[in-house]
């Protein structure tokens, strides 16, 4: 096996690619080597992983998993990694007790995240306390879970804080009379007790209505309905109940008391609550019929959440394929605070290596001490929505958020209470403005300047007294201000204003997707003066037609573009946080932060070029791997082909090559353009992107041509036993590439296909006149290929002016057919001439006619004597079937005989040699006979 220069270069390329892959993957390899010696510690998540509440348990698990994955990715230089182990208690107290005893003895379990329900949590908390195992809850709210238990903590407000918060919110809304409906269990009774204490402090008159969970729910709901009606006044109804019995109460009370403000507990405050009514007739007719206008408290609402919560929302949706719930967010926070306690404990133990040397009880105790030390705002750990710190009982101190059910969705209420930093939990009012943008037209978009002209409608809906329209557009080109509203509506509870806006804005390439021609075209603004603590803009999902129930994406508004070059993917409206330095502004000199946070509203339309492409289908984390793999595979293929190891598999090699080219282009394009954007940000990436577009279409054309050969022409050859003329293969390949050229002009360079076809038609006419004779030959060749009067290898006889041409068809191309006669004369006959000639396929009967044999005999011998002798010697040849002898010329001294014969197809060359040998032998015999007849000189002298 010789290693020539080509093979050495291929091997060198292979080595270079391997080294490049190692260099570019250095950080990942370093992280892998560092983690080979990492100690893995366990956080146990316990909840209902099966049964009717399985979705809640899976949400707990996925929230914790997301944090642990992010945590481990940041632990490159550390010796400790976390992992999640799940346990299924099915919300069953007996099973929860069994799991708690098991976890108390399980090695490497540092803390328990869970349980979900209050009953299971109370039972397990005592076991964990006796075993010295920290427990961090994120869903159960009964006070008994953490009461007098130094090993139990909770990252969501408990029922005491929740009940007090509801009372404070009622007072903020000006309600001084309330009806309290509570379930008679630990959950409802603790909520009721806290609410009554808060209401008493705020001078709210409360009427109480207990709800027996063991009685007839519907009958009790009717009784409570009558009792509330008999009160003779209106106010607020607080449903301190679970969502199951809450659905029965809401369906009974909602329509009977429309003037009462109804507020549900955190068990009701979730997106899934309206689904409990979806099978009822009224709900089918009107989305959110039973819940519209109803309030409820929740640990988190993502539409008013902070920037970190928005990032969590996006990461969770990408990783698990569905949006997170409040439960998932709570257990993300639970994992966050557990990992923070671990980091603090390991640092105080002399480092991670020393911490892992401690026995299990010492590790757990160190973590509990750090959790208990998070007891003030200054020691807090930042959570998704608020700083996380605990009171002496292990309960987090932060306010709830209030949601409003509207159109079957759970959105932020127009008034929120946010925390004021301090040793004690205090709140202040924050106004929420429902905001919507309906993009109407986008014109003059320039990917080079990244600017576009937009026309859209903008509306605000808020409580009276909120100056929501005093906004500053953040991506406007030049000054842009709102004029007078084109429509407005005022009530005692709500203000609505609609504006028509038109202006130039800056666009943005979609992060990580610039290579694929995707851009974000939209509008972003904030309030000019009011910070986020006073005003929050949230997406008006009801007004935008994005309610959770009865949603139909096909009916969503579509943006109109001034050209068909762009196509809208989807629209997205959301709020996030914008930080702005105070820069000595007197309004913010006494702020508790160095930077002022504003609520920023964003309405984006993701658009992409209207081109056909497979780009962007490879996930970012796989791009580099596939890039190097495709290059290495191509080098291996090239070596195999060079060493001729594929044998009779050229088609397989070709198809494999096309696949490797596709993977190479798909992975190389984003890598190259991302590199170009990072190192040469001012470079126009459109030219490079266009080059890749052209490559895609050329690859498609070559692959299509190969598939036609593989799936059409090759099977025809196998079935018919005839070789397909090259003209047919060339024609289909040419059509594939011509189609690719039209596709490139239309989809890449955005040329109108109709004008292209018209122009090409005119050009075709001119070329047709100029190349008329050649075109006639081409189409004649196509006609011959379709009619198939002969195939390659057939012997044919063609009439011509100089006599018939008899020969073997050895080639047929787009212009001519090549015929080789028995004497190796090569004729190149135009296809048009061949199509119009008298043609005889002498191979169709399995025999051929060979001409070109001749013999000259002295005139002394009669032709009637010579012809039988010629026929006799030739018919004696085994391959010869028939012999035809004609006199072609009679001269003064000789007679010329022309010989034609019929013989087998497969022995043309051998038969020709035998025929000539026979003719030469006969010629020698005749000469000897003639010589014998002539008188000698001796005889002549005697005669004389």
């Amino acid at each position: 096996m010789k290693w020539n220069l080509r093979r050495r270069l291929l091997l060198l390329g292979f080595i270079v690619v391997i080294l490049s892959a190692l260099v570019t993957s250095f950080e990942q390899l370093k992280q892998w080597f560092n983690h080979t010696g990492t100690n893995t510690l366990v956080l146990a998540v316990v909840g209902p992983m099966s049964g009717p509440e399985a979705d809640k348990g899976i949400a707990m698990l996925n929230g914790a998993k997301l944090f642990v994955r992010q945590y481990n990715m940041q632990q490159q230089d550390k010796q400790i990694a976390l992992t999640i182990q799940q346990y299924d208690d099915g919300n069953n107290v007996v099973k929860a007790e069994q799991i708690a005893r098991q976890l108390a003895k399980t090695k490497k379990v540092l803390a328990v995240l869970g349980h979900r329900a209050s009953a299971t949590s109370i039972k397990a908390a005592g076991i964990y306390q006796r075993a010295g195992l920290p427990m961090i809850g994120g869903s159960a709210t009964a006070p008994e879970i953490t009461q007098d238990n130094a090993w139990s903590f909770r990252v969501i407000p408990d029922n005491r804080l929740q009940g007090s918060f509801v009372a404070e919110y009622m007072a903020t809304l000006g309600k001084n009379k309330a009806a309290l409906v509570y379930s008679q269990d630990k959950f409802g009774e603790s909520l009721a007790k806290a609410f009554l204490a808060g209401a008493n402090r705020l001078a709210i008159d409360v009427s109480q209505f207990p709800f027996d969970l063991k009685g007839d729910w519907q009958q009790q709901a009717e009784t409570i309905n009558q009792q509330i009606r008999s009160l003779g006044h209106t106010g607020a109804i607080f449903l301190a109940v679970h969502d199951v019995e809450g659905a029965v109460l809401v369906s009974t009370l909602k329509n009977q008391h429309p003037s009462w403000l109804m507020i549900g507990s955190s068990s009701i405050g979730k997106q899934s609550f309206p689904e409990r009514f979806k099978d009822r007739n009224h709900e089918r007719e009107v989305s959110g019929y039973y819940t519209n206008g109803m309030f409820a408290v929740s640990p988190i609402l993502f539409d008013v959440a902070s920037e970190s919560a928005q990032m969590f929302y996006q990461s969770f949706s990408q990783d698990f394929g569905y949006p997170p719930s409040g439960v998932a967010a709570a257990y993300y926070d639970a994992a966050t605070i557990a990992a923070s306690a671990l980091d603090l404990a390991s640092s105080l133990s002399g480092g991670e290596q020393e911490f892992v040397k401690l026995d299990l009880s010492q590790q757990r105790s160190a973590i509990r001490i750090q959790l208990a030390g998070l007891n003030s705002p200054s020691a807090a750990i930042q959570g998704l929505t608020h700083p996380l710190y605990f009171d002496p009982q292990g309960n987090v101190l932060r306010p709830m958020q209030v949601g409003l059910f509207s159109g079957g969705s759970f959105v932020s209420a127009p008034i929120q209470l946010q925390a004021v930093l301090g040793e004690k939990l205090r709140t202040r009012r924050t106004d929420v403005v429902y905001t919507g943008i309906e993009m109407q037209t986008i014109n003059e978009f320039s990917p080079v300047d990244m600017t576009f002209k937009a026309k859209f409608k903008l509306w605000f809906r808020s409580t009276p007294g909120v100056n929501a329209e005093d906004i500053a557009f953040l991506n406007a080109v030049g000054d842009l201000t709102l004029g007078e509203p084109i429509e407005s509506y005022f009530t005692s509870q709500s203000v609505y204003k609609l504006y028509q806006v038109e202006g130039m804005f800056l666009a943005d390439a979609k992060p990580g997707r610039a290579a694929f021609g995707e851009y974000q075209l939209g509008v972003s603004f904030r309030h000019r003066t009011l910070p986020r603590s006073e005003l929050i803009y949230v997406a008006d999902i009801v007004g935008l037609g994005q309610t959770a129930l009865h949603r139909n994406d096909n009916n969503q508004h579509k943006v109109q573009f001034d050209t068909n070059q762009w196509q809208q993917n989807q629209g997205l409206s959301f709020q996030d946080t914008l930080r702005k330095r105070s820069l000595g502004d007197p309004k913010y000199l006494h702020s508790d932060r160095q930077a002022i946070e504003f609520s920023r509203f964003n309405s984006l339309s993701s658009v992409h070029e209207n081109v056909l492409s497979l780009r962007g289908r490879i996930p970012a984390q796989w791009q580099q791997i596939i890039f190097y793999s495709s290059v290495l595979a191509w080098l291996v293929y090239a070596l195999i082909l060079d060493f001729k190891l594929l044998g009779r598999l050229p088609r397989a090699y070709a198809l494999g090559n096309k696949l490797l080219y596709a993977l190479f282009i798909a992975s190389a394009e984003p890598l190259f353009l991302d590199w170009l954007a990072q190192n040469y940000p001012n470079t126009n990436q459109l030219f490079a992107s266009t080059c890749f577009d052209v490559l895609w279409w050329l690859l498609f054309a070559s692959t299509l041509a190969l598939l036609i050969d593989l799936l059409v022409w090759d099977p025809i050859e196998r079935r018919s036993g005839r070789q397909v003329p090259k003209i047919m293969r060339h024609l289909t390949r040419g059509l594939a590439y011509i189609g690719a050229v039209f596709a490139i002009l239309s989809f890449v360079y955005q040329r109108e296909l109709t004008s292209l076809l018209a122009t090409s038609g005119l050009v075709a006419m001119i070329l047709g006149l100029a190349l008329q004779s050649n075109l006639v030959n081409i189409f004649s060749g196509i006609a011959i290929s379709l009619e198939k009067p002969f195939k390659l290898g057939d012997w044919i006889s063609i009439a011509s002016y100089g006599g018939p041409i008899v020969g073997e068809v050895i080639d047929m191309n787009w212009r001519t057919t090549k015929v080789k006669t028995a004497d190796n004369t090569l004729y190149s006959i135009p296809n048009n001439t061949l199509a119009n000639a008298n043609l005889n396929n002498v191979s169709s009967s399995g025999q051929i006619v060979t001409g070109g044999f001749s013999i000259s005999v002295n005139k002394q011998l009669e032709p009637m004597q010579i012809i039988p002798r010629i026929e006799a010697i030739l018919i004696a040849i085994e391959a010869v079937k028939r012999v035809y002898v004609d006199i072609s010329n009679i001269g003064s001294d000789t007679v010329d005989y022309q010989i034609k014969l019929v013989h087998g197809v497969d022995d043309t060359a051998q038969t020709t040699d035998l025929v000539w040998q026979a003719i030469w032998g006969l010629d020698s015999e005749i000469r000897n006979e003639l010589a014998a007849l002539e008188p000698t000189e001796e005889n002549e002298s005697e005669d004389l």
Side-chain angles (χ1 to χ4, degrees):
M1 186 179 292
K2 296 182 179 180
W3 286 86
N4 55 29
L5 180 61
R6 169 184 167 83
R7 295 170 183 175
R8 291 175 181 175
L9 289 175
L10 290 173
L11 181 60
L12 178 62
F14 189 90
I15 296 173
V16 169
V17 173
I18 291 289
L19 293 176
S20 300
L22 293 175
V23 170
T24 54
S25 305
F26 175 75
E27 290 299 329
Q28 289 84 347
L29 292 173
K30 178 182 176 182
Q31 180 179 352
W32 182 82
F33 282 116
N34 287 339
H35 281 178
T36 54
T38 296
N39 290 278
T40 301
L41 301 178
V42 178
L43 297 178
V45 177
V46 188
M49 304 301 169
S50 62
E53 300 292 321
D55 58 329
K56 312 298 190 303
I58 298 301
M60 297 166 58
L61 180 65
N62 289 341
K65 277 185 174 180
L66 179 60
F67 171 80
V68 167
R69 180 179 64 81
Q70 296 172 349
Y71 176 85
N72 289 337
M73 289 178 62
Q74 298 171 358
Q75 302 299 95
Q76 295 183 10
D77 300 323
K78 296 191 176 183
Q79 300 299 314
I80 294 178
L82 291 175
T83 187
I84 294 293
Q85 289 183 0
Q86 68 183 70
Y87 295 86
D88 182 10
D89 67 2
N91 274 349
N92 181 277
V93 174
V94 175
K95 196 171 182 180
E97 181 180 1
Q98 295 173 351
I99 291 174
R101 296 186 186 280
Q102 175 187 349
L103 290 176
K105 300 176 182 179
T106 304
K107 295 182 179 180
K108 290 192 175 184
V109 174
L110 294 183
V112 175
L113 310 182
H115 300 224
R116 180 185 179 271
S118 292
T120 54
S121 297
I122 292 172
K123 189 65 176 180
I127 298 174
Y128 297 139
Q129 181 182 22
R130 292 188 292 273
L133 177 59
M135 182 181 84
I136 306 172
S139 51
T141 56
E144 292 83 356
I145 298 172
T146 59
Q147 189 171 355
D148 300 326
N149 188 337
W151 292 84
S152 184
F153 302 87
R154 180 166 28 215
V155 294
I156 62 171
D158 70 341
N159 285 349
R160 288 175 296 191
L161 194 151
Q162 183 182 154
S164 176
F165 176 84
V166 172
E168 186 174 353
Y169 192 79
M170 284 186 180
T172 303
L173 299 181
K175 301 296 182 180
N176 57 8
K177 294 184 182 296
L180 170 63
V181 182
Y182 63 94
S183 57
Q184 290 183 303
D185 63 354
K186 291 182 178 181
F187 173 81
E189 290 170 353
S190 58
L191 265 179
K193 182 178 179 181
F195 175 76
L196 288 171
N200 182 58
R201 176 171 46 85
L202 296 169
I204 300 176
D205 183 17
V206 180
S207 300
Q208 302 180 50
F209 304 96
F211 190 89
D212 185 6
L213 296 178
K214 297 180 181 179
D216 187 325
W217 289 7
Q218 187 61 50
Q219 183 178 354
Q220 289 184 83
E222 295 291 347
T223 301
I224 293 173
N225 176 42
Q226 296 295 330
Q227 291 173 340
I228 292 177
R229 182 178 300 165
S230 65
L231 293 177
H233 60 76
T234 60
I237 301 175
F238 177 36
L239 297 178
V241 296
H242 303 278
D243 55 348
V244 181
E245 63 266 24
V248 177
L249 288 164
V250 168
S251 62
T252 304
L253 301 176
K254 185 68 171 59
N255 292 331
Q256 299 296 322
H257 307 284
S259 58
W260 284 72
L261 184 145
M262 191 176 296
I263 302 180
S265 68
S266 59
S267 181
I268 291 175
K270 50 194 175 186
Q271 291 286 353
S272 59
F273 184 69
E275 296 181 4
R276 294 189 174 276
F277 306 93
K278 64 182 180 181
D279 294 330
R280 305 194 180 207
N281 292 332
H282 292 303
E283 190 72 20
R284 291 195 186 100
E285 297 173 359
V286 180
S287 179
Y289 175 86
Y290 292 96
T291 56
N292 282 340
M294 177 181 171
F295 292 83
V297 293
S298 175
I300 184 171
L301 290 169
F302 289 104
D303 57 355
V304 293
S306 61
E307 183 177 9
S308 59
Q310 298 289 347
M311 294 175 63
F312 161 79
Y313 188 94
Q314 295 175 8
S315 298
F316 189 97
S317 300
Q318 291 173 359
D319 282 12
F320 302 109
Y322 65 94
S325 63
V327 172
Y331 280 89
Y332 182 94
D333 275 348
T336 300
I337 208 164
S340 299
L342 170 62
D343 291 340
L344 290 171
S346 61
S347 63
L348 293 176
S349 300
E352 296 168 342
Q353 293 183 351
E354 297 299 322
F355 180 81
V356 295
K357 295 178 182 179
L358 300 175
D359 60 41
L360 184 60
S361 61
Q362 290 176 317
Q363 291 175 349
R364 291 174 173 177
S365 179
I367 290 175
R368 188 209 68 80
I369 292 173
Q370 296 307 318
L371 289 171
L374 304 176
N375 54 10
S376 66
S378 59
I381 300 298
Q382 182 60 46
L384 290 177
T385 58
H386 297 83
L388 301 175
Y389 62 98
F390 303 114
D391 66 8
Q393 292 295 325
N395 296 306
V396 76
L397 291 173
R398 67 175 178 86
M400 301 288 286
Q401 292 177 329
V402 183
L404 174 68
F405 290 101
S406 180
S409 291
F410 189 51
V411 300
S412 297
I415 296 176
Q416 297 290 330
L417 299 180
Q418 294 200 64
V420 178
L421 290 181
E423 295 299 324
K424 294 184 178 181
L425 180 62
R426 295 183 293 113
T427 59
R428 61 184 172 194
R429 169 174 169 158
T430 300
D431 289 301
V432 172
V433 179
Y434 300 110
T435 308
I437 289 179
E438 183 180 89
M439 192 67 66
Q440 296 170 292
T441 59
I442 293 179
N443 301 323
E444 304 173 20
F445 172 46
S446 171
V448 178
D449 299 329
M450 295 299 285
T451 59
F452 66 97
K453 185 177 182 180
K455 182 179 181 182
F456 57 91
K457 290 183 177 180
L458 166 66
W459 68 87
F460 305 103
R461 191 171 70 255
S462 62
T463 55
V466 178
N467 187 18
E469 63 273 16
D470 186 15
I471 61 175
F473 289 99
L474 301 175
N475 65 326
V477 178
D479 294 332
L480 180 63
T481 58
L482 296 178
E484 293 297 319
I486 61 174
E487 187 177 335
S488 59
Y489 178 76
F490 301 89
T491 68
S492 59
Q493 298 180 344
S494 177
V495 175
Y496 169 78
K497 293 182 180 180
L498 176 67
Y499 296 86
Q500 181 71 62
V501 186
E502 186 173 3
M504 295 294 296
F505 296 87
L506 293 173
D508 188 18
K510 193 172 182 181
R513 304 279 293 182
F516 312 131
E518 295 196 19
Y519 302 89
Q520 299 280 26
L521 310 184
V523 176
S524 179
F525 63 82
R526 67 168 177 88
H527 199 277
R528 292 185 184 274
T529 58
L530 296 180
R532 192 179 187 279
S533 60
E534 298 183 35
L535 183 143
I536 299 176
Y537 293 102
V538 301
D540 183 15
I541 64 173
V542 178
L544 291 169
Q546 299 175 357
T547 56
L549 296 179
H550 310 290
R551 179 171 181 170
N552 187 355
D553 292 332
N554 295 328
N555 295 330
Q556 300 301 306
H557 178 75
K558 298 295 182 181
V559 180
Q560 294 182 358
F561 295 89
D562 58 345
T563 174
N564 62 357
Q565 180 180 358
W566 305 102
Q567 182 175 342
Q568 181 185 12
N569 289 344
Q570 62 180 8
L572 178 65
S573 296
F574 63 95
Q575 73 87 24
D576 58 6
T577 300
L578 174 68
R579 290 179 176 85
K580 178 178 179 294
R581 294 187 61 82
S582 62
L583 300 177
D585 191 330
K587 297 191 298 295
Y588 308 119
L589 286 179
H590 302 290
S591 172
D592 51 10
R593 297 177 182 265
Q594 292 183 348
I596 300 90
E597 295 182 346
F598 289 91
S599 173
R600 175 173 57 188
F601 185 82
N602 309 278
S603 179
L604 304 178
S605 292
S606 177
V607 302
H608 69 275
E609 290 183 275
N610 192 19
V611 296
L612 295 177
S613 177
L614 298 177
R615 297 176 305 173
R617 305 305 181 191
I618 300 177
Q621 63 269 25
W622 289 97
Q623 289 170 0
Q624 187 167 305
I625 297 174
I626 293 177
F627 171 77
Y628 285 116
S629 299
S630 62
V631 176
L632 290 174
W634 184 86
L635 291 171
V636 172
Y637 260 51
L639 279 171
I640 291 174
L641 183 67
D642 199 65
F643 281 115
K644 300 180 181 179
L645 299 178
L646 279 176
R648 298 179 176 274
L649 298 175
R651 296 298 191 199
Y653 167 76
L655 284 176
N657 235 1
K658 301 300 182 186
L659 176 61
L660 291 177
Y661 286 147
L663 293 174
F664 173 80
I665 297 174
S667 57
E669 181 176 15
L671 292 174
F672 174 74
L673 289 176
D674 286 346
W675 171 85
L676 196 66
Q678 293 175 10
N679 295 277
Y680 303 96
N682 296 325
T683 303
N684 183 5
Q685 297 184 45
L686 285 180
F687 174 75
S689 181
T690 300
C691 292
F692 279 105
D693 283 333
V694 173
L695 283 177
W696 273 111
W697 281 110
L698 293 179
L699 177 62
F700 172 77
S702 64
T703 305
L704 179 61
L706 177 62
L707 289 174
I708 292 175
D709 282 344
L710 184 63
L711 302 177
V712 178
W713 301 130
D714 290 354
I716 289 177
E717 286 186 347
R718 287 194 298 269
R719 288 195 303 267
S720 64
R722 297 183 175 187
Q723 186 176 356
V724 174
K726 292 182 180 179
I727 183 174
M728 299 304 297
R729 295 183 183 270
H730 293 167
L731 179 63
T732 53
R733 289 171 187 168
L735 291 175
Y737 280 100
I738 290 173
V741 170
F742 276 105
I744 290 170
L745 294 174
S746 177
F747 295 107
V748 177
Y749 293 99
Q750 302 300 318
R751 300 292 187 267
E752 289 291 339
L753 195 58
T754 53
S755 61
L756 288 175
L757 292 174
T759 304
S760 62
L762 179 61
V763 173
M765 290 178 61
I766 297 173
L767 292 176
L769 292 174
L771 305 173
Q772 184 175 6
S773 60
N774 287 326
L775 292 174
V776 169
N777 286 322
I778 291 174
F779 286 102
S780 296
I782 295 173
I784 292 172
S785 298
L786 294 175
E787 186 180 353
K788 297 179 180 151
F790 55 83
K791 68 179 188 302
L792 296 181
D794 279 358
W795 280 74
I796 60 174
S797 174
I798 310 163
S800 67
Y801 294 109
I805 297 174
V806 180
E808 179 186 4
V809 180
I810 62 172
D811 187 28
M812 182 177 180
N813 57 39
W814 62 272
R815 194 182 69 84
T816 62
T817 297
K818 294 181 180 179
V819 176
K820 185 178 181 180
T821 63
D823 58 356
N824 292 327
T825 301
L826 185 64
Y827 289 91
S828 184
I829 305 172
N831 290 331
N832 183 41
T833 302
L834 193 64
N836 295 317
N838 293 325
L839 185 148
N840 178 26
N841 186 348
V842 295
S843 295
S844 60
S845 61
Q847 296 176 331
I848 60 173
V849 175
T850 301
F853 304 103
S854 63
I855 185 172
S856 296
V857 181
N858 193 294
K859 199 174 182 181
Q860 295 178 9
L861 299 178
E862 292 290 336
M864 296 303 295
Q865 297 176 351
I866 297 300
I867 291 175
R869 294 179 65 181
I870 295 175
E871 292 175 347
I873 63 170
L874 295 183
I875 205 68
I877 301 173
E878 183 179 356
V880 176
K881 307 301 181 184
R882 290 187 296 275
V883 178
Y884 304 95
V885 183
D886 293 323
I887 298 174
S888 60
N889 184 48
I890 300 176
S892 59
D893 296 322
T894 60
V895 178
D896 298 330
Y897 298 91
Q898 180 70 35
I899 304 169
K900 295 181 181 179
L901 50 89
V902 176
H903 61 84
V905 174
D906 297 328
D907 59 355
T908 302
Q910 182 179 0
T911 302
T912 301
D913 291 341
L914 293 175
V915 168
W916 279 117
Q917 291 174 14
I919 291 173
W920 293 335
L922 178 63
D923 182 69
S924 178
E925 291 179 6
I926 292 173
R927 289 180 183 277
N928 291 334
E929 292 176 4
L930 290 173
L933 293 176
E934 292 180 1
T936 64
E937 293 182 0
E938 182 180 353
N939 292 335
E940 290 179 357
S941 60
E942 291 178 352
D943 291 341
L944 290 174

